[in-house]
Amino acid sequence: MVRVSGKIKRLLVDAGLISEEAWTNARDKGGNVIETLLSSGTLEESALLEAVGRAASVAPVDIGRVTVDPSALEAVPQDTCIEFGILPISRNKDVLTIAVSDPFDVLLLDDLKRRTGCQIRQVVGSPTVLKRAIDRVFQTGEKQVESLLGEVKSDGELEVAPEETKVEDLSALASTAAGDDAPAIKLLNLIILQALKEKASDIHVEPGDKHLRVRYRVDGNMKMVMTPPKSILSALISRTKIMAQLDIAERFAPQDGKFQVKYEGRTIDFRLSILPVVGGEKAVMRILDGSNLALKLETMGYEAKSLADIRKAINAAYGMMLVTGPTGSGKSTTLYSCVHEVAQPDVNVVTVEDPVEYRMDGINQVPVNPKRGLTFAGALRSILRQDPDVILVGEIRDTETAEIAVKAALTGHLVLSTLHTNDAPSTITRLVDMGIDPFLVSSSVLCIGAQRLARKLCEGCRQPIEVPEKELLGVGYTKDEIGSLKLLGPNPQGCGRCHQGYKGRFAILETLYIDDTLKRMIVEGRSSLDMRVHAVSQGMITLRRVGLMNAMRGRTSLEEVLRVTLED
């Protein structure tokens, strides 16, 4: 129940927004007085928020358009939120932002400070909208499933085809299914639809003690979306297994599969991973939407120097280009863009991937299948007998694959691949550590790119921020730059079109082109630090520097740059 103090009554009466009689009549009807006044039209919501916000010096906010931060929800128990009608919406270190309808409840404010150990920043929202938001966030049990399933459309907008077999119309199944599995079919349909609409990259379905947690990864960050009852877990996991043609009877071993979805006229691939955990099985679905794939290098947003280095490498007659970075840093997208650039009718392009993430016309794509004896190394050997001009190796994981890739690069083939290293210069050391002769490394590698993904600031609600000069100097800005620097930051509440002030991601890339001096340094066994110093002297723009340049342009925040890049 959303609480309403007597101070709000006096405020509204004194401001002439309601009369004593109207308040008394609304109170006599039972329930929440403010909700009754709003629903009857006696009190305007905008007038209420303006009066309360001005009197308490608290900013009003449209709770219905705010994306709730899961870390904020974890700070306050669910029972407390429901009992006192409050909703934590964001958390920045030790500052917790909480939406309330009554900012005059000092005792509640003190209690929250004590319980959370945080400074509390209040924002005021309409009691009716706040109540709906609390119900949406904390709904549990069968009531939640019914409300969730009520959102599922049955107009055939989503079709699922396991392994390119007969297409199933899940929307039709959701509306006609009977028996114990019907709620699971409908709920999974809703989870997938909502993830596609929010442009999520991954869907997580996790068992808890009493409820499931359904979370999306949007722009690299996890987002809680619903908490269905745990009773539906078994049917929900079984449904995902059926779609991916996995063994529904196997519940104690990991399983991996894939399926396709046809949505709004396009085909979207899903990779499914099932893992036994405490409390049941966890399902993670990776969404591979080819329509979001930017295949033109000039649209990737790279710096001019990096773009020139990449183009110089992929237009070479032979050699190797490597892209490095952690999982989920966009390496595959960069490689696909390179392949798209060089793929012509007179060029034979072959890829070996585990798995094939995006399908491209005119490209021969080989999926690795270790269970059937087709490894990266084995597939690469076979590819070399297919008369290729360009070879894309999804990832160099072992010495054998690295040796074959290097030999291919030295025998007239252009090889594109990825490695897991922190920056471009350390990739050289990594190849040598894998057992590749330094002379072969220096002779084969043309260019190395290290990549990260950073969130873009929402252009609709980004706002100016002030950062002390000492901190700016510490992160890498020069005094000349600081003089005219105008940094922008995210609005933590967002604007309804973004997620806490960010919308979308872009690539931050540093490229190291192997010149003659670097080749000598590799053969001599010089350290990656020495190679970095030389590369920077020759114009290499480091990851941190690329990030700082984009922060200066207002494309991302300084905080985001420091999060995704290491100090030079």
Side-chain angles (χ1 to χ4, degrees):
M1 177 69 68
V2 178
R3 292 166 39 144
V4 180
S5 68
K7 189 164 185 176
I8 289 186
K9 170 194 171 183
R10 182 50 49 198
L11 173 68
L12 297 178
V13 172
D14 290 347
L17 297 177
I18 61 169
S19 63
E20 288 274 6
E21 182 182 4
W23 181 276
T24 303
N25 291 338
R27 184 192 60 198
D28 292 343
K29 292 181 180 179
N32 185 282
V33 179
I34 297 294
E35 289 180 19
T36 302
L37 291 169
L38 290 171
S39 61
S40 65
T42 306
L43 179 63
E44 292 290 333
E45 183 178 293
S46 58
L48 169 68
L49 290 180
E50 183 180 354
V52 173
R54 184 188 299 112
S57 298
V58 174
V61 64
D62 185 354
I63 304 297
R65 300 178 64 183
V66 169
T67 301
V68 177
D69 182 358
S71 66
L73 289 177
E74 293 172 1
V76 184
Q78 174 178 332
D79 294 342
T80 301
C81 294
I82 295 173
E83 178 183 358
F84 296 106
I86 61 175
L87 183 63
I89 56 178
S90 70
R91 183 172 185 173
N92 185 6
K93 297 180 181 178
D94 62 345
V95 178
L96 185 65
T97 302
I98 295 184
V100 300
S101 61
D102 183 0
F104 304 109
D105 195 337
V106 179
L107 294 178
L108 174 61
L109 184 63
D110 290 340
D111 186 44
L112 289 174
K113 287 181 180 178
R114 180 180 55 81
R115 290 192 186 194
T116 63
C118 296
Q119 293 296 316
I120 304 300
R121 174 177 176 262
Q122 295 186 100
V123 294
V124 65
S126 162
T128 53
V129 178
L130 182 55
K131 184 176 184 298
R132 287 198 299 269
I134 292 171
D135 289 342
R136 183 183 73 247
V137 172
F138 293 117
Q139 277 179 342
T140 57
E142 297 301 325
K143 178 183 177 182
Q144 185 196 25
V145 174
E146 290 173 5
S147 65
L148 290 173
L149 299 185
E151 300 177 29
V152 180
K153 298 177 181 179
S154 56
D155 55 5
E157 69 174 357
L158 177 67
E159 297 178 334
V160 174
E163 296 276 352
E164 294 185 303
T165 58
K166 183 179 178 182
V167 173
E168 293 183 278
D169 185 340
L170 276 194
S171 298
L173 284 173
S175 61
T176 59
D180 295 337
D181 290 339
I185 294 173
K186 293 180 179 180
L187 183 57
L188 185 58
N189 191 19
L190 171 65
I191 290 170
I192 293 174
L193 281 170
Q194 189 171 327
L196 293 175
K197 290 174 181 176
E198 295 197 23
K199 300 187 182 302
S201 61
D202 300 85
I203 303 171
H204 292 243
V205 180
E206 308 163 323
D209 291 337
K210 298 179 180 179
H211 309 103
L212 305 183
R213 288 201 309 176
V214 179
R215 299 191 292 170
Y216 297 157
R217 188 175 293 280
V218 180
D219 293 340
N221 283 15
M222 297 293 284
K223 172 187 176 183
M224 177 82 74
V225 289
M226 60 183 79
T227 56
K230 192 172 181 179
S231 58
I232 203 170
L233 173 63
S234 178
L236 193 63
I237 296 296
S238 294
R239 179 59 187 168
T240 64
K241 291 179 180 178
I242 290 171
M243 289 163 58
Q245 297 186 333
L246 300 180
D247 183 359
I248 63 173
E250 178 56 75
R251 298 186 177 182
F252 302 101
Q255 296 190 69
D256 296 307
K258 58 184 179 179
F259 59 91
Q260 288 184 304
V261 163
K262 290 188 177 180
Y263 173 70
E264 293 184 345
R266 64 184 193 270
T267 300
I268 301 169
D269 292 310
F270 282 67
R271 278 167 32 198
L272 172 67
S273 173
I274 303 290
L275 181 69
V277 297
V278 174
E281 293 176 285
K282 174 179 176 178
V284 176
M285 288 167 269
R286 166 66 59 88
I287 304 173
L288 303 170
D289 188 353
S291 65
N292 293 332
L293 189 64
L295 290 178
K296 292 185 178 180
L297 284 172
E298 57 268 21
T299 66
M300 300 289 283
Y302 299 143
E303 301 302 317
K305 171 69 166 57
S306 298
L307 184 59
D309 287 344
I310 291 176
R311 284 217 162 103
K312 185 177 178 182
I314 64 177
N315 287 319
Y318 60 89
M320 179 185 294
M321 192 189 86
L322 298 170
V323 181
T324 74
T327 301
S329 60
K331 300 186 299 295
S332 295
T333 300
T334 296
L335 288 184
Y336 278 119
S337 299
C338 293
V339 167
H340 184 265
E341 182 105 345
V342 301
Q344 302 294 333
D346 58 344
V347 177
N348 181 22
V349 182
V350 186
T351 76
V352 51
E353 306 168 64
D354 181 23
V356 173
E357 293 193 11
Y358 299 103
R359 302 181 188 185
M360 300 176 65
D361 292 335
I363 307 297
N364 303 291
Q365 296 175 274
V366 179
V368 169
N369 192 335
K371 293 180 180 178
R372 298 182 180 179
L374 186 59
T375 62
F376 268 112
L380 195 49
R381 285 196 188 91
S382 298
I383 284 174
L384 291 173
R385 295 190 286 270
Q386 290 282 314
D387 186 30
D389 297 303
V390 179
I391 302 171
L392 187 154
V393 183
E395 182 183 349
I396 294 178
R397 297 178 179 175
D398 51 51
T399 301
E400 186 180 12
T401 305
E403 289 176 344
I404 300 171
V406 167
K407 290 176 182 177
L410 292 171
T411 54
H413 306 92
L414 178 64
V415 179
L416 311 175
S417 192
T418 69
L419 269 176
H420 288 286
T421 58
N422 290 328
D423 58 18
S426 64
T427 305
I428 300 295
T429 307
R430 172 71 175 140
L431 286 173
V432 174
D433 289 344
M434 292 178 74
I436 308 301
D437 187 282
F439 176 75
L440 296 179
V441 174
S442 68
S443 302
S444 60
V445 178
L446 299 171
C447 181
I448 302 169
Q451 183 165 301
R452 301 291 187 275
L453 290 181
R455 291 178 294 171
K456 290 190 286 189
L457 285 171
C458 173
E459 295 185 4
C461 66
R462 59 187 181 181
Q463 54 195 17
I465 61 169
E466 294 293 334
V467 182
E469 180 177 322
K470 184 178 179 180
E471 291 187 23
L472 294 174
L473 290 171
V475 300
Y477 284 115
T478 65
K479 280 189 173 293
D480 290 339
E481 291 171 335
I482 293 173
S484 59
L485 193 60
K486 295 181 180 179
L487 292 175
L488 298 175
N491 179 351
Q493 279 72 49
C495 62
R497 295 173 295 174
C498 62
H499 300 280
Q500 298 172 354
Y502 295 97
K503 183 178 182 181
R505 291 188 291 175
F506 69 100
I508 293 176
L509 180 74
E510 74 173 21
T511 53
L512 174 67
Y513 199 87
I514 310 299
D515 60 17
D516 291 339
T517 302
L518 280 173
K519 289 181 180 180
R520 285 196 300 271
M521 296 175 74
I522 294 170
V523 174
E524 292 169 2
R526 301 279 288 276
S527 70
S528 60
L529 178 58
D530 290 340
M531 288 185 273
R532 169 177 283 274
V533 170
H534 168 75
V536 170
S537 71
Q538 297 301 305
M540 184 183 86
I541 309 174
T542 65
L543 277 172
R544 172 60 62 86
R545 187 63 192 166
V546 173
L548 295 177
M549 292 165 64
N550 279 282
M552 284 192 286
R553 298 169 185 144
R555 194 178 190 189
T556 189
S557 67
L558 181 58
E559 181 182 28
E560 181 71 1
V561 172
L562 300 182
R563 184 181 73 87
V564 300
T565 65
L566 297 175
E567 183 179 0
D568 288 334

